[in-house]
Amino acid sequence: MTQRQPFKVLVVDDDKSMRQSLVELLEAAGWTVSALSRATHVMEYLASASPDVILSDVRMPGMSGLELLASLDRQVAPPVVLISAHGDIPMAVQAIQDGAYGFIEKPYEPRRLLTVLRHAAEQSRMRRSNARLKDRLFKLSGLDRILLGQTDAITDLRQEVLDLADTSVAVLLQGDTGTGKELVAHALHDLGRSPEAPFLALNCAALSADTFEAEMFGIAGESDGRLAAASGGTLFLDEICSCPPAAQAKLLRVIEDQQVLPVGAVSPVPVSFRVVSATNEDVVVVAEEGRLRQDLLFRLNTVVLSLPPLRQRRDDLVLLATHFLNEYAKVYEIDAPELDQDDLAALLSHSWPGNVRELRHVCERRILAARRGGGSVAQAIQSDQHFDEVPDTLREAVAAFERELIGKAIKAHKGRMDAAAEALGIGRRTLNEKIVKLGLDKEALL
């Protein structure tokens, strides 16, 4: 069980002996105590510290305790307990009406003072906890904008991201190119325990075993290395299945040992990461082929999240397209064109091999055409087929080519699979297997 942090109190009293007496009492009770002799110094103190409660004398030179209370923003400031040897009933009532949590008369009874302060501090922490919850809900709306959609697959994914964000478990993201794996990795980090900590994204396909240690571990007396600089945050291993075997071994050692040894150093440097990895391949198959170490896989796949391809989210197509069109319309300062029936047909009939990334590019081209007074979704898609980004790997390029070729054959032969297979020079069974593997929707092609 995590031990609760000691309550923190700021004591404000111009009487040195009284101030010291209060400090000794509170420290003996286990509080973390700071003390000031003037209320005029409180605002400067609060700019860099967050006590759970303020205990202030009422009558002080320069600014009284009541004036201090009036100067604080009740929405964000800690609760104030006033203490005074000159207190009377009208003053106490006025203090409570002005927002004081409590009013204690001198000479004070230590047990009652500690009880009032503890209750005030508990209320303060609960309020801050509620504020963090509201902030989290605000971030949730941001997650809705990042992982936009209403289908069950994307709704479940959003919930899984929220459930996992506040943990430190390793997460493996699987999904086709363009499905938003890095967006999900950033969401896990931004909604996690330390969103202000570094987020280090490594393209594993570009790692070199020869320069790995100098770049990642650092060089003693010269550089800290990227891993040490990003310690405390999230390590995102993109394209993990394309990582060179020698680099895999070095990454595994870092993840297991939680330390790095800079080149030329004698002592290792401790590091700590939340590890998130991503791939567009089947990790089980890749591991069986020997391209991904089994022991590294077992360190990465504590939880596996599958990102659905756009072809499995057809009910989200119109919502996504409308969102992207409006987004780019603002960028290019024009009115977003309305989607007509031809546009809808083009959206629904396309197989979207590039997924959400491809749809975003199509919408941007549609807006650029609208600036010139023309264009359609179908034309934007056609342009995408000719000028879209080259796939990152040979495997992806072959898959994209096969999707296009098979899709054209099925369309040309009006869904007659035997004829399409014959035209492609493959067997009917092979054609069926490729349709399943490539995720083609036969009905959508016709």
Side-chain angles (χ1 to χ4, degrees):
M1 178 180 292
T2 303
Q3 187 174 6
R4 187 175 67 178
Q5 293 294 316
F7 287 127
K8 294 181 289 186
V9 59
L10 171 63
V11 175
V12 186
D13 199 312
D14 64 310
D15 186 323
K16 183 176 180 180
S17 60
M18 176 58 68
R19 189 169 67 249
Q20 187 60 37
S21 173
L22 290 169
V23 169
E24 291 174 356
L25 169 67
L26 289 161
E27 287 183 339
W31 287 64
T32 298
V33 187
S34 299
L36 296 173
S37 61
R38 293 287 187 272
T40 50
H41 299 157
V42 170
M43 296 305 292
E44 181 181 357
Y45 173 84
L46 292 179
S48 58
S50 300
D52 295 306
V53 60
I54 296 174
L55 175 62
S56 174
D57 190 17
V58 171
R59 299 181 185 271
M60 293 181 289
M63 175 184 280
S64 70
L66 291 174
E67 290 172 332
L68 168 63
L69 178 66
S71 71
L72 297 173
D73 183 348
R74 296 188 199 175
Q75 299 299 317
V76 296
V80 176
V81 174
L82 295 172
I83 184 169
S84 176
H86 310 283
D88 54 19
I89 296 299
M91 180 184 287
V93 171
Q94 183 64 46
I96 299 301
Q97 288 178 344
D98 288 345
Y101 183 86
F103 190 94
I104 305 292
E105 283 189 303
K106 299 176 184 177
Y108 58 85
E109 199 281 307
R111 183 174 298 177
R112 179 169 182 267
L113 174 65
L114 290 172
T115 298
V116 172
L117 288 175
R118 187 181 73 254
H119 289 167
E122 288 172 345
Q123 183 186 78
S124 177
R125 288 198 175 179
M126 182 175 296
R127 186 178 67 187
R128 288 205 297 268
S129 177
N130 289 337
R132 285 194 294 270
L133 176 59
K134 290 180 180 179
D135 182 59
R136 191 173 186 84
L137 292 175
F138 174 78
K139 289 178 178 177
L140 172 58
S141 68
L143 183 61
D144 285 336
R145 291 192 294 271
I146 294 169
L147 300 176
L148 186 65
Q150 300 173 337
T151 54
D152 290 342
I154 204 70
T155 300
D156 292 344
L157 177 62
R158 282 198 299 265
Q159 187 57 55
E160 287 179 307
V161 169
L162 285 173
D163 291 342
L164 293 170
D166 200 35
T167 72
S168 58
V169 298
V171 178
L172 174 62
L173 306 175
Q174 286 193 286
D176 293 350
T177 299
T179 50
K181 295 185 288 296
E182 186 163 357
L183 286 176
V184 173
H186 273 287
L188 287 167
H189 175 81
D190 293 340
L191 295 174
R193 297 171 179 175
S194 304
E196 72 287 348
F199 178 93
L200 175 61
L202 296 181
N203 182 346
C204 293
L207 295 179
S208 169
D210 296 334
T211 60
F212 185 92
E213 293 193 7
E215 181 182 359
M216 298 298 159
F217 298 173
I219 301 174
E222 295 184 22
S223 62
D224 292 334
R226 297 177 68 187
L227 294 180
S231 183
T234 298
L235 176 62
F236 177 50
L237 303 174
D238 197 11
E239 297 188 51
I240 186 62
C241 291
S242 299
C243 187
Q248 289 185 37
K250 297 177 190 297
L251 279 173
L252 176 63
R253 190 172 76 242
V254 172
I255 295 171
E256 287 184 334
D257 298 344
Q258 293 288 287
Q259 61 183 20
V260 298
L261 181 63
V263 176
V266 177
S267 302
V269 177
V271 293
S272 177
F273 302 108
R274 199 278 176 77
V275 180
V276 180
S277 52
T279 181
N280 57 9
E281 299 187 67
D282 186 328
V283 289
V284 175
V285 173
V286 174
E288 290 175 350
E289 293 174 351
R291 292 190 289 120
L292 180 66
R293 294 176 59 120
Q294 291 276 5
D295 46 4
L296 177 58
L297 174 59
F298 296 149
R299 285 287 183 177
L300 301 178
N301 69 347
T302 304
V303 176
V304 178
L305 294 185
S306 296
L307 279 63
L310 195 51
R311 61 181 177 275
Q312 294 178 6
R313 300 173 52 196
R314 293 195 174 274
D315 289 346
D316 284 336
L317 272 170
V318 176
L319 174 66
L320 288 166
T322 302
H323 171 76
F324 292 144
L325 287 170
N326 288 330
E327 186 178 83
Y328 284 115
K330 291 178 181 178
V331 171
Y332 293 108
E333 298 180 341
I334 68 168
D335 292 331
E338 295 289 336
L339 293 172
D340 58 25
Q341 290 299 318
D342 290 339
D343 291 331
L344 296 178
L347 285 171
L348 296 172
S349 63
H350 188 52
S351 61
W352 299 107
N355 294 292
V356 177
R357 183 186 299 163
E358 180 187 3
L359 177 60
R360 180 184 285 275
H361 292 170
V362 165
C363 290
E364 183 174 17
R365 273 193 296 276
R366 176 68 186 93
I367 292 298
L368 288 171
R371 293 180 73 193
R372 301 189 298 270
S376 68
V377 169
Q379 290 171 345
I381 291 174
Q382 187 66 26
S383 176
D384 193 58
Q385 292 173 347
H386 291 296
F387 302 109
D388 199 11
E389 295 177 349
V390 176
D392 295 330
T393 66
L394 179 60
R395 185 187 299 269
E396 293 171 20
V398 171
F401 179 72
E402 285 187 335
R403 283 192 195 95
E404 183 175 359
L405 201 60
I406 292 172
K408 287 181 178 179
I410 292 174
K411 288 180 182 178
H413 293 280
K414 297 181 171 38
R416 290 180 283 113
M417 302 304 288
D418 288 331
E422 183 178 354
L424 291 166
I426 59 177
R428 169 68 183 270
R429 180 177 176 181
T430 301
L431 177 58
N432 289 338
E433 290 174 349
K434 285 187 175 293
I435 288 174
V436 173
K437 181 179 179 181
L438 297 170
L440 285 170
D441 187 342
K442 175 187 170 185
E443 300 302 324
L445 293 171
L446 301 175

